[in-house]
Amino acid sequence: MPGSTTPGPVVGKLAPDPGTRATAVGLPVMEQLECEEGSSTFRFGSGWDLYLSGVDGLSPRSSGTNETVTTCRGFPLIQLTKSGMTVAAPDLIARTELFRTVPDPVATVQKAMAASLPPDGQRKAVGEPTVMTAGTLALACRHNIADGFPMASCFWADYGAVGAIDYFPPGGNRHFAMVQAVERTKEFAGTALRGAGTP
């Protein structure tokens, strides 16, 4: 139900920790999307952008800034209209952080989703969340409304990385399908992580 903090049932069982960690985040290779480093020039109104929250208790893999931002666009470009102005938006904006260890990826994505989409926040949750596992990857996705636009937001984690992805509305007026958001999130996490170092 809208505004609920209940994470929803988890589908699937997480695979055991393999004992290796990604050492870098690179550009993902995603079907029908071109990706680049950095955030899009598109901005919501003040305070509406999605950030990765709920990971304060985890130890960063490196010192300094630990966040990598990736923007991916497809064709045709998504057009969003507000107050008589039409602007091009990306298909997705992703934020990824590497950590020494993420002891419980499922609990981490549930916490990240609750912290990033709180009931009293600017974004309004829509429908029920989807929480599932795929190998060593845990995902939590939910539709929401940001600055009047229908968004799909996914949070993912494995044993050494956590990410958040905002999917912009195709056609500018409808949510990105949840099943597609889940599949694209798995595709992103599977191709963006680089290396295989030790914790």
Side-chain angles (χ1 to χ4, degrees):
M1 100 181 119
S4 171
T5 57
T6 304
V10 180
V11 178
K13 182 173 178 171
L14 195 69
D17 185 350
T20 58
R21 303 289 183 265
T23 56
V25 180
L27 290 179
V29 178
M30 303 182 74
E31 188 176 351
Q32 298 180 344
L33 291 182
E34 293 284 335
C35 299
E36 62 187 13
E37 290 184 16
S39 189
S40 167
T41 55
F42 177 86
R43 285 286 182 276
F44 286 122
S46 177
W48 291 93
D49 289 334
L50 183 73
Y51 290 92
L52 187 52
S53 304
V55 294
D56 297 344
L58 302 176
S59 176
R61 184 154 180 88
S62 59
S63 58
T65 181
N66 194 45
E67 183 181 74
T68 300
V69 180
T70 305
T71 298
C72 299
R73 294 178 176 84
F75 184 83
L77 292 174
I78 293 173
Q79 302 289 326
L80 299 183
T81 302
K82 186 174 182 182
S83 302
M85 294 181 59
T86 299
V87 295
D91 281 56
L92 68 88
I93 295 179
R95 299 176 186 275
T96 309
E97 294 189 38
L98 300 180
F99 298 94
R100 295 189 184 282
T101 189
V102 179
D104 189 340
V106 173
T108 297
V109 296
Q110 292 174 324
K111 183 178 178 183
M113 183 167 62
S116 301
L117 299 173
D120 58 349
Q122 286 183 300
R123 289 187 179 224
K124 301 305 175 190
V126 177
E128 295 297 323
T130 296
V131 184
M132 64 174 294
T133 65
T136 59
L137 191 70
L139 303 97
C141 299
R142 192 160 196 184
H143 286 139
N144 59 94
I145 304 294
D147 197 24
F149 297 109
M151 304 293 290
S153 301
C154 289
F155 306 87
W156 62 268
D158 65 9
Y159 291 100
V162 184
I165 306 181
D166 244 351
Y167 296 98
F168 288 75
N173 58 5
R174 66 183 187 280
H175 286 105
F176 191 56
M178 188 59 65
V179 65
Q180 291 176 293
V182 167
E183 289 305 312
R184 188 147 278 181
T185 300
K186 290 192 288 188
E187 185 182 13
F188 180 96
T191 63
L193 299 179
R194 304 279 195 270
T198 55

